[in-house]
Amino acid sequence: MKSLQQPSAESSQAYLAEAGSRLADLCTACGACFDACPMARLVPALAGVSPTSVTEGLRSLARGETGPVETVAWVGACARSGVCVSACPERDKGLDAMLLVRIAKQRAINDTGQLPAKHDAHAFPRVKTFARLQLTDEELDRWL
Amino acid sequence: MALTGNRLTFWFGCNMLRHAELIRLSMQLLERAGFDVEAAGGPGYCCGTPHDHAPVAASAMASRTVERFNAASQMEGRGTVVTWCPSCHMHMSDIMSPGNATQFDIAHITEVLADAGDKLAPLLVHPVKRRVLLHRHIGFATHVPVNDRVASILARIPELSLVDGPAVPGHMCSSLGGVPGALKGAVAETWQAAAASGCDTLATIFHSCHREVAALDGRDGITVRNWVHLVAESMGLDAGDAYRGWRQGEAPDAAAIARADPRLYAKLVEPELKKPLPI
């Protein structure tokens, strides 16, 4: 069991807005997270790129600034393998590399427009239909 | 860390609604471990993860869900939220709680059941004579050592033999969808390892992986089960798997389709059930 963090912001959105710049400031752009990432090896466009350049771009994106295409390709490929977290030499100072990548990805979608939004408008109607296929009226009423 | 009290909310997420048996069986396992369980999930309890493109809406969903769990904690004494979905768990831990005051703790179901192993072990009375490869991802270990926890639970099942296999990228199969070939590679690596090891069963941990590999059930003499199915089987519980049957070409009965709305079934569900095999 884990006790959850005490809130440090008024909402999740406010927290993410604050955390992006804070985590970017902790990042030294050493490239260790990129080197450790198993997804980076699966993206042809990332073959031979400089890890430090990619992570320098990570800092920019997390602050809401335009990032280089390699960084955008990398954050877009993030599957939350989490290997970057332990690879990061700044972890003990409070840098959660996976969260930094995630925020950078959100910025690339919402702020810099460098990644397309991947939204399935049918996702919720689909799971509700699955629910009605299988759940009893009582389950539908109590669980959802 | 022990749970506070025995009343808990089982937060199964959104996409588990494809797998009603897994929700019910999970609740039964938690109840047999001594907990008073109320389930919660679906879009009304969304964590916000699927809405990264809409930060205002995602934040509002996160707040609503935290408020509902706070209410369950205050009014019903359900001070622990037990998660199933790794996305929900990580989102609650990393993004929801720093932006919302929570009045509950969280734990993953595999942690709770592994910790209750001594209580569950006497209930595992039916031998499950299977040679099982566990489909593992490397992700989520940042928050919960889920692969080890599931292995420790399955190790208590009489006559079940667990075989080491690969751990593939991502935190579950759906996370690999953004990189062409990644999902196919992960499924192929796992399936080939199961076949090469002489396994007769591939056990999934998460719903999204089960959704992908269920359609392969029977290939190479390997059946696909979720870890919960195997525990239930050993307890003598009915461990059905309707979704696997549907992916194998069966259809829900007509009354169920009528209840769900035939138009929505044809538009939203049928295409998923008939999609191409992952490998």
Side-chain angles (χ1 to χ4, degrees):
Chain A
M1 186 173 71
K2 179 183 178 183
S3 295
L4 293 163
Q5 297 182 49
Q6 291 298 309
S8 57
E10 290 182 351
S11 67
S12 297
Q13 185 188 14
Y15 172 71
L16 289 169
E18 171 274 318
S21 295
R22 178 171 50 79
L23 296 177
D25 288 345
L26 290 170
C27 174
T28 62
C30 68
C33 52
F34 179 82
D35 276 334
C37 177
M39 295 306 289
R41 296 162 209 151
L42 302 177
V43 181
L46 295 175
V49 301
S50 160
T52 54
S53 296
V54 171
T55 48
E56 188 61 49
L58 179 65
R59 298 173 58 180
S60 300
L61 268 181
R63 293 183 175 119
E65 303 159 4
T66 302
V69 291
E70 294 86 3
T71 305
V72 174
W74 181 48
V75 301
C78 178
R80 297 183 217 171
S81 302
V83 183
C84 54
V85 175
S86 56
C88 176
E90 306 304 319
R91 181 185 189 185
D92 290 345
K93 295 177 183 171
L95 176 50
D96 180 336
M98 186 165 67
L99 183 58
L100 178 61
V101 171
R102 180 148 187 217
I103 291 171
K105 183 176 182 178
Q106 291 183 355
R107 296 275 190 276
I109 296 169
N110 299 311
D111 296 350
T112 72
Q114 293 176 280
L115 272 178
K118 290 180 180 171
H119 175 55
D120 177 4
H122 297 305
F124 280 177
R126 182 177 295 112
V127 295
K128 286 179 178 176
T129 306
F130 270 109
R132 285 193 295 272
L133 271 177
Q134 303 175 78
L135 302 188
T136 65
D137 288 343
E138 184 186 359
E139 288 168 340
L140 288 167
D141 186 51
R142 289 184 65 151
W143 296 356
L144 304 189
Chain B
M1 186 192 295
L3 300 190
T4 308
N6 79 325
R7 293 170 68 80
L8 55 85
T9 301
F10 175 50
W11 185 26
F12 56 78
C14 293
N15 286 305
M16 270 282 274
L17 287 170
R18 290 172 169 85
H19 310 283
E21 300 103 329
L22 289 181
I23 300 172
R24 296 186 189 113
L25 287 173
S26 296
M27 293 176 70
Q28 286 180 276
L29 300 188
L30 290 165
E31 286 166 356
R32 289 181 180 218
F35 297 102
D36 179 312
V37 185
E38 187 63 79
Y45 286 91
C46 181
C47 63
T49 293
H51 300 274
D52 277 354
H53 64 287
V56 175
S59 189
M61 289 178 184
S63 294
R64 178 184 61 183
T65 297
V66 168
E67 283 169 12
R68 295 184 82 172
F69 289 148
N70 282 344
S73 178
Q74 285 179 322
M75 298 165 68
E76 300 173 29
R78 300 187 187 281
T80 302
V81 171
V82 172
T83 59
W84 169 279
C85 173
S87 293
C88 295
H89 189 107
M90 290 193 285
H91 205 71
M92 177 63 81
S93 179
D94 300 347
I95 294 175
M96 295 168 79
S97 63
N100 297 276
T102 54
Q103 296 166 22
F104 52 87
D105 299 315
I106 63 168
H108 192 257
I109 184 171
T110 58
E111 297 178 290
V112 176
L113 293 179
D115 286 350
D118 290 341
K119 189 173 279 188
L120 292 175
L123 305 175
L124 302 171
V125 294
H126 298 278
V128 178
K129 296 178 182 177
R130 296 175 182 267
R131 185 171 170 81
V132 179
L133 186 132
L134 190 59
H135 170 58
R136 302 180 303 160
H137 285 268
I138 58 178
F140 197 43
T142 45
H143 294 67
V144 175
V146 65
N147 296 325
D148 292 344
R149 292 295 177 271
V150 173
S152 76
I153 295 167
L154 295 182
R156 291 179 178 267
I157 296 177
E159 299 192 30
L160 185 147
S161 171
L162 201 56
V163 175
D164 283 340
V168 296
H171 66 288
M172 56 181 174
C173 279
S174 58
S175 68
L176 300 172
V179 176
L183 174 60
K184 182 177 181 179
V187 172
E189 184 180 355
T190 302
W191 195 268
Q192 287 161 8
S197 303
C199 291
D200 55 30
T201 303
L202 178 66
T204 59
I205 294 179
F206 294 118
H207 54 294
S208 117
C209 308
H210 197 75
R211 199 160 81 216
E212 294 299 334
V213 299
L216 301 174
D217 183 75
R219 184 188 290 187
D220 301 321
I222 298 170
T223 192
V224 176
R225 303 292 270 163
N226 183 265
W227 66 274
V228 166
H229 290 129
L230 297 173
V231 177
E233 202 176 314
S234 187
M235 286 185 180
L237 301 172
D238 181 9
D241 188 349
Y243 190 88
R244 184 184 64 176
W246 298 338
R247 284 290 274 145
Q248 294 278 314
E250 297 170 13
D253 66 53
I257 293 173
R259 183 165 177 265
D261 186 332
R263 185 181 55 84
L264 292 176
Y265 175 79
K267 179 182 177 184
L268 302 175
V269 172
E270 216 166 16
E272 175 179 313
L273 300 180
K274 292 182 176 178
K275 73 177 185 179
L277 300 178
I279 55 174

